[in-house]
Amino acid sequence: MNSTNPPALPPVSLVDVASYLPGDPVGTEYFTQFARSERMAKNVMFRAPKGRHHVARDETAVDMVERAVAPLIDRHGADMIANVDVLITHTQLPDNPVLGCGPEVARRLDIRPSYVYDVHNGGCAAFVHMMAMARMVLQTTDARTALIAATQNCSGQVFAQTEIRKLAQAPVPGDGCGVGLLVKDDSAPILDIECQTYPEFAGDMDFSTNGERKYWEPGEGQACVSFTESKITKVFARGNRLVPEVALAVCDRIGVRGRDIDTFVTNQPNRLFLRNWHDALELPPERHPDTFDSCGNLFAAGIPVTLDVENRAGRLRNGSLVMMAAFAHAGDFAGAAAVRWGAAR
């Protein structure tokens, strides 16, 4: 009996990234004037960056995506964006809790994609998650172009609340948006992607109003993500392990070692994670760029914003190996993606 190999899937490329940071930088002194003394403030997870950006009260996630996409239009032309077939968005704090911003982004950009998805479970690894989803759609349908957008918008809205801004974790996040343009070709090919879900860690990140009421119920108390000190210790151990694990899994499949990576871009939770991650891959710090001190923890937007900063600075060589990796929430999801860089700037 003759056997035939299935046809090879077409290559998909991450051809460009762009980003947007709202408003003027907000210094750490904004928070220290309100801070209350607490034991958690000494935890390494909450060492504050020097600056971050905050969204304005009336600035929506759609506004942020539109502003992040503007450089892509400048570089590739309005027709390229108008012909986007796949639109995938992730918003840290949805403006409408009932639906995602995808359709409104499409309306604002005047595009009519055949596939529109709003994803939420990818957390800080959502950019990699969306790359995997977009590549799958492009490889298995007639679609040729995808736009992915990661928006972090809870720093100026949640962490600047009058009671929340006093907490140790309040100065760490910043706001921003990063977008990526994917095309079905081999100009800047995605070499491999690893996405892993860890259900055993689900539920370890709490969201509460510091009281009994549900967040949608009327009453006192300001809603925010919270961790107990014991859970922070567990999350730190998981994060140290998960990001190198998924990155090295991709390295193994594409036939390289961790130290062969030219540029390693991760989410940006704190300085200690960043140090531990490049040490685990045997990389020097200069090959692991970060935007933590100028932007804070950008959650899902951290990877595309940092990529855009490096690309605009001319520090990403065409043909170089770029590895993106991140973990989400309390460790219930992690992902990594390798790209042979070739983006415009």
Side-chain angles (χ1 to χ4, degrees):
M1 181 176 180
N2 293 329
S3 62
T4 57
N5 293 323
L9 293 172
V12 172
S13 294
L14 177 65
V15 298
D16 208 353
V17 292
S19 63
Y20 163 72
L21 297 171
D24 295 325
V26 176
T28 301
E29 63 276 4
Y30 169 81
F31 294 95
T32 54
Q33 63 179 318
F34 304 112
R36 63 189 184 207
S37 178
E38 59 172 308
R39 181 177 172 183
M40 294 279 272
K42 298 178 181 179
N43 194 293
V44 293
M45 293 280 280
F46 302 135
R47 300 283 169 80
K50 295 177 182 177
R52 78 284 295 140
H53 293 256
H54 282 173
V55 296
R57 185 179 185 278
D58 296 326
E59 189 169 25
T60 69
V62 176
D63 294 333
M64 296 176 73
V65 173
E66 182 181 31
R67 289 158 186 163
V69 170
L72 295 183
I73 295 174
D74 290 343
R75 291 195 287 265
H76 299 274
D79 287 346
M80 178 75 159
I81 303 303
N83 291 320
V84 161
D85 302 301
V86 183
L87 173 64
I88 308 177
T89 64
H90 166 89
T91 306
Q92 188 69 28
L93 185 68
D95 294 298
N96 184 329
V98 180
L99 61 118
C101 70
E104 192 178 349
V105 167
R107 181 179 64 82
R108 188 77 64 86
L109 297 177
D110 196 22
I111 63 178
R112 285 193 168 273
S114 300
Y115 306 88
V116 179
Y117 304 109
D118 292 293
V119 303
H120 205 61
N121 64 298
C124 294
F127 195 75
V128 173
H129 189 199
M130 292 188 289
M131 283 178 62
M133 292 180 65
R135 184 178 69 155
M136 179 175 63
V137 176
L138 294 178
Q139 288 180 327
T140 57
T141 71
D142 292 334
R144 297 201 59 83
T145 309
L147 178 68
I148 61 176
T151 303
Q152 150 53 5
N153 59 341
C154 69
S155 180
Q157 300 190 89
V158 173
F159 289 91
Q161 293 178 95
T162 55
E163 292 303 312
I164 306 303
R165 66 192 180 190
K166 301 174 183 178
L167 303 179
Q169 64 264 40
V172 179
D175 291 326
C177 180
V179 297
L181 183 63
L182 289 81
V183 175
K184 190 187 293 185
D185 68 17
D186 63 355
S187 59
I190 299 170
L191 305 177
D192 196 78
I193 299 178
E194 172 87 355
C195 287
Q196 289 288 340
T197 298
Y198 305 89
E200 63 270 29
F201 303 142
D204 279 359
M205 188 179 75
D206 297 321
F207 183 85
S208 73
T209 59
N210 295 307
E212 294 299 318
R213 73 174 181 89
K214 304 293 186 182
Y215 76 88
W216 61 85
E217 293 176 335
E220 296 183 357
Q222 297 177 357
C224 189
V225 170
S226 61
F227 292 96
T228 64
E229 196 158 3
S230 63
K231 285 185 179 179
I232 289 172
T233 302
K234 293 176 183 177
V235 171
F236 188 73
R238 290 170 195 162
N240 274 336
R241 174 175 59 85
L242 292 176
V243 169
E245 271 187 9
V246 291
L248 290 171
V250 172
C251 285
D252 185 59
R253 289 200 294 271
I254 65 175
V256 301
R257 299 165 298 181
R259 56 180 172 269
D260 296 325
I261 295 168
D262 294 303
T263 305
F264 184 42
V265 182
T266 63
N267 61 316
Q268 316 273 309
N270 56 60
R271 298 182 188 91
L272 191 53
F273 268 137
L274 294 170
R275 187 198 71 189
N276 292 347
W277 288 340
H278 61 243
D279 284 352
L281 269 66
E282 301 180 52
L283 288 171
E286 57 267 24
R287 283 202 245 162
H288 185 195
D290 75 80
T291 51
F292 181 76
D293 260 336
S294 57
C295 299
N297 182 0
L298 285 171
F299 300 170
I303 286 177
V305 167
T306 305
L307 269 176
D308 183 43
V309 168
E310 291 299 291
N311 192 42
R312 286 187 287 110
R315 290 189 288 266
L316 296 180
R317 294 179 293 103
N318 282 358
S320 62
L321 177 61
V322 175
M323 179 71 73
M324 293 159 266
F327 82 102
H329 311 126
D332 56 51
F333 183 79
V339 173
R340 187 64 67 188
W341 194 255
R345 65 171 185 268

